[in-house]
Amino acid sequence: MNLLELDLKNRRRAHRVNRAVRVTALDRQAHRSQSVALNVSSSGARMVFTHSCPESFTVELDAQTRVLARPVWKRPLDRSMIVGVRFEFRSERERRQVISFLQRLAA
């Protein structure tokens, strides 16, 4: 799979902000790892991992925005893994924080 294919395969219906942003992934043991979100929407993100991707983890989009994420697909790319994740909101507040993050990112 090449970068052009990654751009062309867009099956989700939620509006996305197509901007690479550094994020932090925290697994269940609170181990932190840096990642890049290639795009983010109100329902999920497309992320790059240089290591294995946990089955569920918390994505820290910025200092104010954390949300539970679960992988829905994975594709190898060179020495990395492109992972599509779905957000699982534990509260309405979390959902609003992601929307606020998207607004700041798109501004």
Side-chain angles (χ1 to χ4, degrees):
M1 179 172 291
N2 62 40
L3 290 177
L4 179 59
E5 287 178 296
L6 291 173
D7 284 337
L8 295 176
K9 293 185 178 184
N10 184 357
R11 297 183 205 128
R12 292 221 169 206
R13 295 180 185 199
H15 175 71
R16 296 177 181 193
V17 176
N18 288 314
R19 177 189 269 173
V21 60
R22 291 197 180 279
V23 298
T24 302
L26 294 97
D27 66 16
R28 291 183 181 187
Q29 289 78 36
H31 296 119
R32 301 171 72 85
S33 60
Q34 297 300 307
S35 182
V36 173
L38 299 174
N39 63 45
V40 183
S41 75
S42 59
S43 61
R46 184 168 48 166
M47 299 176 64
V48 178
F49 284 88
T50 57
H51 53 76
S52 63
C53 175
E55 288 306 309
S56 72
F57 56 95
T58 298
V59 177
E60 189 176 85
L61 298 170
D62 64 12
Q64 300 90 21
T65 313
R66 285 185 173 190
V67 63
L68 182 65
R70 293 193 190 276
V72 292
W73 58 264
K74 298 177 184 179
R75 303 282 186 276
L77 181 67
D78 298 326
R79 294 186 187 118
S80 302
M81 182 74 65
I82 306 296
V83 180
V85 300
R86 180 183 70 234
F87 295 149
E88 295 188 357
F89 300 109
R90 294 170 278 201
S91 68
E92 181 62 21
R93 181 173 182 256
E94 274 188 1
R95 189 186 70 76
R96 285 193 309 266
Q97 286 175 327
V98 169
I99 290 169
S100 178
F101 169 79
L102 290 170
Q103 291 168 339
R104 290 190 305 274
L105 192 60

